Amino acid sequence: MHGEPVLERAFRVLGAFTEAGEGLALHTLAARAGLPKSTTSRIAAQLTDVGALERVDNGDFVVGLHLLEITSLAPRGHGLRAAALQFMQDLHRVTGRHILLAVRDGDEAVLVERLSARDAAAVKYRVGGRLPLFGAGIALLAHAPGRIRRKRWRARTTRSASAGSWPPYARTASAP
């Protein structure tokens, strides 16, 4: 077999979508997927035929409803969401804040559910989207295997050391 397998290329096309409801022209889809326009056109047509993508009136591609049907069956997210939703709603009602439920996937987290507060700041994360294990995913990072914690810590401290801002709460040898 020569070149990248077609299934991998198809997932690159699907992975080009980053915003909910986002429509992409063929040239944008090809650029984001890192594939030639002709290859992207063939793959997008096949994905449209099976309902994974849809075409809108202006010719742009959008994620198709068939993908929602399939992804809603993911056991790691669905079972956890069902078990946690009542507690999330209670926490949301008491705090009035955004409540996020995520599952660690390697050194990132995938957002399974989000309850948004009306008057709180906008949340940039979407259900099904990825978020870093620092910040919103810090609790997941705390319980990740040591190799992942060390990798994320090194990446975070290396990136922030030059700005002098990390870690803002670290104790020094002279701190109490």
Side-chain angles (χ1 to χ4, degrees), residues 16-49:
F17 293 91
T18 58
E19 299 290 327
E22 178 179 42
L24 297 177
L26 178 62
H27 66 89
T28 305
L29 193 56
R32 286 191 185 176
L35 295 169
K37 209 161 120 177
S38 60
T39 301
T40 304
S41 178
R42 282 192 306 274
I43 292 171
Q46 291 173 338
L47 290 169
T48 301
D49 288 345

Side-chain angles (χ1 to χ4, degrees), residues 88-150:
M88 292 177 66
Q89 290 169 336
D90 288 346
L91 186 58
H92 184 263
R93 188 176 60 255
V94 170
T95 65
R97 300 287 183 203
H98 298 300
I99 307 299
L100 306 177
L101 176 65
V103 175
R104 189 179 59 78
D105 186 27
D107 62 353
E108 296 180 307
V110 176
L111 190 60
V112 175
E113 182 60 83
R114 179 184 89 188
L115 301 179
S116 295
R118 292 179 201 185
D119 59 345
V123 175
K124 65 181 179 178
Y125 304 118
R126 63 176 174 77
V127 172
R130 294 189 172 268
L131 54 140
L133 289 180
F134 274 97
I138 197 83
L140 295 172
L141 180 60
H143 297 283
R147 64 181 171 72
I148 291 176
R149 287 194 315 267
R150 286 186 296 275

Side-chain angles (χ1 to χ4, degrees), residues 132 134-135 151-170:
F134 274 97
K151 177 182 175 186
R152 298 307 302 157
W153 181 259
R154 279 192 304 273
R156 177 67 175 174
T157 56
T158 301
R159 185 174 58 244
S160 299
S162 62
S165 62
W166 181 258
Y169 52 83

